[in-house]
Amino acid sequence: MDLLDKNILVVGMAKSGVAVARFAREAGARVTVCDAKSREELGEKAAELEQAGVRVVAGSYPRVSRQEYDLVVPSPGVPLTVSPVAEAMAEGIPVFSEIELASRYINQPLVAITGTNGKTTTTSLIGAMTRQAGLKPCVAGNIGQPLIAETRGDYGVYVVEVSSFQAETTVEFRPRVAVILNVTPDHLDRHGTMENYAAAKAKILANQQPEDFAVLNYDDEWVRAMAAQTRARVIFFSRTHRLEEGVCCEEGQVVVKSGGQTTVICPASEIAIPGAHNLENALAAVGAGWALGIEAADLARTLKTFPGVPHRLEFVAEIQGVRYINDSKGTNPDAAIKALEAYEQPIVLIAGGKNKGSDFGLFARKIKEKCRALVLVGQAAPAIEAAAIEAGVSPIYRASTFAEAVHLAAAAARPGDVVLLSPACASWDMFNNYEERGELFKQLVHSLRR
């Protein structure tokens, strides 16, 4: 795709927006980047982009017309209803996500991973598998590094985490291997319905061809139905079914069944990352690795040694017999339920944050089953508390600050317990992102030793 002398509007100056603006300017485009934040709020980023020859519009949005712009690239966090994006769509101006634009400059095989929960763990695990196999992977996308910033690298394969926000504005994006982990309620404040949300996830299948692969969760009804939407070769994975074809568990072993042959990968008990949900992630990663032609021994070696990712069931410390676990990446009820199910010990749970349109009923019933105590903080605390009271959860503590929440949890815990931060909510009411929330949790936990 030739951007020379094209007029590009980038909406949003978060990490991917800045990366797109720099890439397009270096490719010879005339670039405008806009953000609803003020010049002061944007800080040095605005000045740095202007020094690179990018026009910056802060605190407002420019009008969009065919005469002004050839392409609009919204950042993932920018709703498609904001005026510049809506105007572009009405005018018939192409609207691309960052990963759509980046994919047009990539010739190597691309593995795309999406789903409500487990994306980062599975993306990192596939990255580790491809690295073990000597494939020189680039791991990028929603995991933290914009894909557009890596298009000129010397890589053998791209392993890309894709959010629903990124997927919904793809056009020609075509992964060699597409992995869809699960679809459970999340981001309904943006997508409106589960049907819309699932459709956004399924867009990574839209352009696949018969020589490509779709790795799909047989146990998830939304995902299983997507097999009918792809022209690619489907590899199902299942934690609960013995499949005739695909990746599953038999007699305690992770196996791949293909063409009438069964290949044993490793015992499920030897997978390093804990929890039934991580077994699902491991099965999905094996499916993707198998599609890429990675040897069973390399797949097994990675499964046995992969330590997991920060902020997802991350062990922080054991203090006076209490284990502290950081699951700040558990940003919806289903993710938090999976975290609760990963432990047999009594749990003191810290939850709350910004609600993304979730229902907390099932989450509250799981809290009743697994938790000694519940500590709530943040904007969603009243909604979670109402569901928890209805489920019979007791005791429930309310904290006015995050630091108070950690101290209340520590006071409620007994030796042998787990204090688990798994918020079931986004972080944006109190933090810039879940990483910031998780890092503060770790700092506060370590301060308990003093």
Side-chain angles (χ1 to χ4, degrees), residues 8-352:
I8 312 296
L9 175 64
V10 180
V11 186
M13 280 184 59
K15 187 182 292 186
S16 70
V18 171
V20 169
R22 290 188 176 280
F23 179 90
R25 185 71 192 98
E26 290 170 5
R30 292 181 287 272
V31 182
T32 299
V33 62
C34 62
D35 199 293
K37 291 181 179 178
S38 68
R39 184 71 181 227
E40 291 71 26
E41 290 176 300
L42 294 174
E44 294 180 1
K45 288 190 294 186
E48 290 171 358
L49 284 177
E50 285 177 331
Q51 289 175 0
V54 174
R55 174 181 171 234
V56 175
V57 178
S60 64
Y61 294 131
R63 297 282 300 175
V64 174
S65 69
R66 279 189 165 279
Q67 290 71 41
E68 293 291 329
Y69 297 106
D70 301 300
L71 174 66
V72 173
V73 183
S75 294
V78 174
L80 304 187
T81 53
V82 300
S83 57
V85 181
E87 289 166 5
M89 290 178 165
E91 289 272 321
I93 301 169
V95 175
F96 288 179
S97 65
E98 173 255 327
I99 63 165
E100 170 67 30
L101 183 62
S103 70
R104 299 187 178 211
Y105 294 86
I106 292 173
N107 296 317
Q108 294 83 357
L110 193 154
V111 182
I113 302 94
T114 195
T116 305
N117 299 309
K119 294 187 297 295
T120 298
T121 297
T122 307
T123 300
S124 300
L125 182 51
I126 295 171
M129 286 174 170
T130 53
R131 193 172 298 110
Q132 174 69 45
L135 297 182
K136 296 178 64 178
C138 169
V139 180
N142 193 58
I143 199 168
Q145 174 68 347
L147 182 60
I148 197 85
E150 299 291 345
T151 56
R152 299 184 180 95
D154 180 23
Y155 301 111
V157 62
Y158 284 82
V159 182
V160 185
E161 179 181 330
V162 181
S163 72
S164 60
F165 297 172
Q166 293 170 312
E168 67 183 342
T169 44
T170 53
V171 180
E172 297 179 3
F173 183 72
R174 178 190 168 187
R176 169 71 168 152
V177 181
V179 181
I180 305 184
L181 299 168
N182 45 60
V183 177
T184 59
D186 198 15
H187 300 301
L188 298 184
D189 52 344
R190 171 153 166 173
H191 294 294
T193 67
M194 281 293 292
E195 287 75 13
N196 291 343
Y197 178 47
K201 295 289 189 188
K203 284 202 74 176
I204 69 168
L205 307 173
N207 298 304
Q208 288 192 293
Q209 299 301 318
E211 60 268 32
D212 300 323
F213 293 88
V215 180
L216 305 177
N217 188 350
Y218 188 85
D219 300 337
D220 185 296
E221 291 184 8
W222 288 98
V223 179
R224 185 168 67 244
M226 292 175 187
Q229 301 177 36
T230 180
R231 292 181 291 276
R233 288 170 282 182
V234 173
I235 299 176
F236 280 121
F237 65 93
S238 173
R239 181 173 60 85
T240 60
H241 293 79
R242 297 182 70 159
L243 302 174
E244 293 298 319
E245 286 272 327
V247 187
C248 61
C249 291
E250 285 192 353
E251 299 177 356
Q253 303 279 350
V254 174
V255 300
V256 178
K257 294 182 172 182
S258 178
Q261 300 292 317
T262 298
T263 303
V264 175
I265 304 301
C266 72
S269 61
E270 294 185 8
I271 296 172
I273 47 179
H277 64 293
N278 275 327
L279 174 55
E280 286 190 355
N281 296 335
L283 296 173
V286 167
W290 189 264
L292 292 170
I294 298 176
E295 296 292 331
D298 288 327
L299 299 176
R301 193 172 295 113
T302 307
L303 291 178
K304 293 175 183 180
T305 57
F306 180 72
V309 298
H311 311 295
R312 198 69 179 100
L313 295 184
E314 178 188 11
F315 175 76
V316 179
E318 182 170 329
I319 301 172
Q320 296 181 339
V322 176
R323 299 181 75 230
Y324 290 81
I325 305 295
N326 169 28
D327 193 55
S328 182
K329 202 174 189 312
T331 60
N332 59 67
D334 188 65
I337 287 170
K338 287 180 168 66
L340 290 170
E341 290 174 339
Y343 299 95
E344 295 300 324
Q345 305 96 317
I347 296 169
V348 177
L349 176 67
I350 301 172

